[in-house]
Amino acid sequence: FVSSQVEILDWETKKQLCFLDKVEPNATIREIRLMFHKLYPRWYPARQSIKLDPKGKSLRDEEILQHLPVGTTATLYFKDLGPQIGWTTVFLIEYAGPLFIYFLFYFRMTFVYGLDERFTSSPHPVVNLACICHSFHYIKRLIETVFVHRFSRGTMPLRNIVKNCLYYWGFAAWLAYYINHPLYTPPSYGKKQINFAVIMFLLCEAGNFSIHVALSDLRRNGSKTRKIPYPTKNPFTWLFFFVSCPNYTYEVGTWISFTIMTQCVPVGLFTLLCFIQMTVWAKDKHCTYLREFKDYPSHRMPIIPFLL
């Protein structure tokens, strides 16, 4: 093979940062990142965005130099993504927060509701049930993060962790404050409403977990190759027949059931925001599937069967 030369420029100033000589044409972008890292130790691979065009998309690690639209001398552009944090760590921080914050309100800490004896316990069993369900949801998420999820991208910018934590932690405190408030009133239809919501909650949690396992199985042995997800023998995965992102469908269902269970306005508002955000994610994922797979099932919708 004829060796290639790689010139790496700053994406903003166009100043040359380095010139790599005698690069194998079958070298991957990951290997080029490592070469660049040796010259600039502070810019570790996860912090680097390597592009063909200053305003274009970042090249993937597995892309091969000779398959890119470049000649024997390739000009690439570098952008510093800033300090990075691993996705596993991100999720553990995001999900552990709501779990513990909720307990501050559930146990009626004196700095939350005051010292009045009437405020030390709740007469409504649904308050205890809501705490169990909320805790179960986030414990499940923590377990999935450690044992189930496989991340296509290893890191995210460290600065985003503050924004993400404010969202998850802030809403957990807001929900918990009202659900555990001494003046909280139970659902209008009593046990029937609560029992229905609990059954719906458990089914959605089981469905969400099943979808995460099915998606994880697509990337066994550390593979980063994208595949079309299909239903398995597990009935909870049959939602793949109708939507591209049933994990989001089940997640929204979980919070709808929690809203019905608690009959609490802040929970309903949180559910609405979750639905809006997950619809955006689902549409993006759906478009990615359509773009990457010509044989992608045309009847699937992003998040709601037959509608959205």
Side-chain angles (χ1 to χ4, degrees), residues 72-93:
T72 53
T73 300
T75 300
L76 302 176
Y77 296 88
F78 161 79
K79 180 181 180 181
D80 180 14
L81 296 175
Q84 301 288 300
I85 184 171
W87 274 108
T88 298
T89 305
V90 169
F91 282 171
L92 291 176
I93 294 172

Side-chain angles (χ1 to χ4, degrees), residues 51-117:
K51 309 178 179 184
L52 280 173
D53 181 86
K55 296 181 180 180
K57 290 185 177 181
S58 297
L59 296 170
R60 299 191 306 274
D61 277 352
E62 60 271 19
E63 292 192 72
I64 298 171
L65 185 61
Q66 66 180 352
H67 295 164
L68 298 175
V70 295
T72 53
T73 300
T75 300
L76 302 176
Y77 296 88
F78 161 79
K79 180 181 180 181
D80 180 14
L81 296 175
Q84 301 288 300
I85 184 171
W87 274 108
T88 298
T89 305
V90 169
F91 282 171
L92 291 176
I93 294 172
E94 287 178 359
Y95 300 154
L99 185 62
F100 292 106
I101 287 171
Y102 196 97
F103 287 132
L104 296 178
F105 296 89
Y106 176 72
F107 289 116
R108 302 285 176 84
M109 296 297 183
T110 54
F111 64 85
V112 178
Y113 298 117
L115 295 169
D116 194 313
E117 292 182 0

Side-chain angles (χ1 to χ4, degrees), residues 236-250 252-253 256 275 279 282 286 298-308:
F236 286 109
T237 67
W238 294 352
L239 203 51
F240 271 126
F241 283 122
F242 309 105
V243 295
S244 294
C245 302
N247 51 317
Y248 295 144
T249 310
Y250 283 123
V252 171
I256 290 174
F275 173 67
T279 299
H286 182 71
S298 58
H299 56 274
R300 288 188 188 179
M301 301 298 286
I303 190 169
I304 300 178
F306 313 115
L307 292 177
L308 183 65

Side-chain angles (χ1 to χ4, degrees), residues 24 48 65 80 121-122 137 150 187 225 233 255 267 269 274-275 289:
E24 293 294 327
Q48 302 171 23
L65 185 61
D80 180 14
S121 62
S122 173
H137 178 72
R150 303 179 195 274
T225 305
K233 293 179 180 179
W255 287 109
V267 181
L269 292 175
C274 281
F275 173 67
Y289 283 143

